[in-house]
Amino acid sequence: MCRLFCAGRVSARTKRDASMSLQKTIVNLLLKLPDPILVSMAGGKPVVRDGRTLDARFQFIAHSVTKRGPQPELTKEFARQGTEILTMLFGGTLEPGVSCQDRSLELEGRSIPARSYRPSNQNPLAPLLVFYHFGGGVVGSLETCHALCSILAKTIGCPVLSVDYRLAPEHPWPAGLNDAIDSYLWARDHAQEFGAPAGVAAVGGDSMGGNFSAIIAQEMQRRELPQPFLQLLIYPATTILETEGSMQTCADAYPLTADIMAWFMANYLPNSDLGPNLGEDLRVSPALAPSLAGLAPAIVITAGHDPLRDQGKAYAEALEAADVKVHFQCYDSLAHGFTAYTGGVPAADRACRELAAVAARAYRAMGG
């Protein structure tokens, strides 16, 4: 009976994987069509926000998702499944010359899943990069940033450790953030296990992962500990209090809308006696810090069609005003989450390789 059940389960999984593979093939063939044809199939005219024209492939994907009509009620299960499906359809693959290994970080009282990436061209002087995926603190996994982490490892020539922090609402704030901070400290202290210099690590992430990374740099300063080697902040969420600018003009942008952001925060932040002004906590909104002086050098990347666009730029400007060395770039034609679309959107793949090259130059300039 057990054998029959297991055989049936394997068969169902095989059919599902085959179906997903077929869908991916069809989608990728469609995305190879010329831009004008894709635009004609996705509303007929280019999508322009704040003078920025959305990439035709992103427009086609967004139209394909939204034309299905009203979405089912947004639940954590539905959102997580949807994120993984989109990653399978549009995500890239492991870079040639990069090996990866799943592992568990044994921290005090808990284990955190992680995945390490080691490039064949690893520079023994290059510090370990600890990376945190996107997802509003509610969705996302090691898979959503798999391709990007391998691009970073190969381009920089450094090991990368991707951390699968706990998610809300099962584990509301500050559980995921605490995982991020503790895993960074663990990685810094165990860097030699990855063939990297001891006692130092860079930190990076996209969206919520960028939020965590910015907070980690500030938290190290508050604890009077050494700064990260580098901050890599990709379309970071730096404050939940912002309501103007791109928060309005990109409120309906795919895939991160204002409504979805509100849903994320409703799940991420606990309803408790911590107080109604939790958004003012620097461990939620790092942009509210009274001073950014003395923080690690930063690379800040934003996307043109993203509610978080303006706050990312503002954070880069605030860092620069505090005499922190900053590289800032906005990819005007791309949308939030573009790092997970490297397999289906060539402009997203180029952007990821470009930002990795910027990080590589920063590493070399600082002796890593």
Side-chain angles (χ1 to χ4, degrees), residues 24 82-92 134 143-145 340:
K24 184 179 180 73
T83 300
E84 298 305 317
I85 289 174
L86 289 174
T87 299
M88 286 188 282
L89 287 175
F90 305 113
F134 68 60
E143 301 306 323
T144 51
C145 60

Side-chain angles (χ1 to χ4, degrees), residues 44-321:
K45 60 181 181 179
V47 172
V48 180
R49 295 184 180 91
D50 299 325
R52 299 167 169 87
T53 301
L54 182 63
D55 177 87
R57 280 147 195 84
F58 259 121
Q59 180 175 338
F60 178 80
I61 293 168
H63 183 78
S64 300
V65 171
T66 57
K67 75 176 182 179
R68 297 178 181 179
Q71 295 293 313
E73 179 185 358
L74 193 55
T75 64
K76 67 180 189 295
E77 294 83 8
F78 177 78
R80 289 170 184 171
Q81 182 183 46
T83 300
E84 298 305 317
I85 289 174
L86 289 174
T87 299
M88 286 188 282
L89 287 175
F90 305 113
T93 57
L94 186 73
E95 285 288 290
V98 177
S99 62
C100 68
Q101 180 179 10
D102 289 346
R103 58 180 300 156
S104 182
L105 309 184
E106 300 303 324
L107 304 180
E108 186 175 351
R110 66 196 189 281
S111 295
I112 301 178
R115 181 176 295 163
S116 61
Y117 298 80
R118 298 282 299 272
S120 58
N121 63 334
Q122 183 171 334
N123 177 357
L125 298 179
L128 172 67
L129 170 61
V130 187
F131 196 89
Y132 308 99
H133 63 76
F134 68 60
V138 181
V139 306
S141 69
L142 298 176
E143 301 306 323
T144 51
C145 60
H146 180 62
L148 174 63
C149 285
S150 71
I151 291 172
L152 290 169
K154 183 174 183 177
T155 306
I156 300 172
C158 74
V160 175
L161 182 66
S162 178
V163 177
D164 201 13
Y165 54 87
R166 288 173 291 175
L167 299 176
E170 297 93 331
H171 305 284
W173 180 93
L177 174 62
N178 287 340
D179 286 352
I181 295 171
D182 291 348
S183 61
Y184 166 75
L185 292 171
W186 181 95
R188 186 196 64 183
D189 294 342
H190 293 78
Q192 285 181 300
E193 294 181 18
F194 304 92
V200 62
V203 67
D206 58 338
S207 194
M208 182 57 80
N211 172 274
F212 288 170
S213 300
I215 293 170
I216 286 171
Q218 293 186 15
E219 187 66 16
M220 293 305 102
Q221 190 176 67
R222 285 189 283 268
R223 297 186 188 187
E224 299 183 348
L225 294 173
Q227 277 292 293
F229 182 74
L230 176 74
Q231 303 178 74
L232 176 58
L233 313 179
I234 305 173
Y235 39 80
T238 61
T239 173
I240 67 169
L241 302 181
E242 182 59 62
T243 59
E244 304 298 324
S246 59
M247 288 294 293
Q248 291 187 354
T249 58
C250 298
D252 63 343
Y254 171 88
L256 183 65
T257 65
D259 287 344
I260 290 177
M261 286 184 63
W263 180 83
F264 277 147
M265 288 302 98
N267 282 274
Y268 179 62
L269 298 177
N271 294 316
S272 70
D273 57 2
L274 292 176
N277 299 320
L278 197 53
E280 297 177 4
D281 193 304
L282 300 185
R283 296 172 301 155
V284 174
S285 299
L288 303 182
S291 174
L292 303 179
L295 296 183
I299 297 169
V300 183
I301 303 295
T302 60
H305 296 256
D306 181 359
L308 301 181
R309 183 192 69 219
D310 289 354
Q311 59 182 267
K313 180 182 180 183
Y315 195 68
E317 291 172 344
L319 285 166
E320 191 169 37

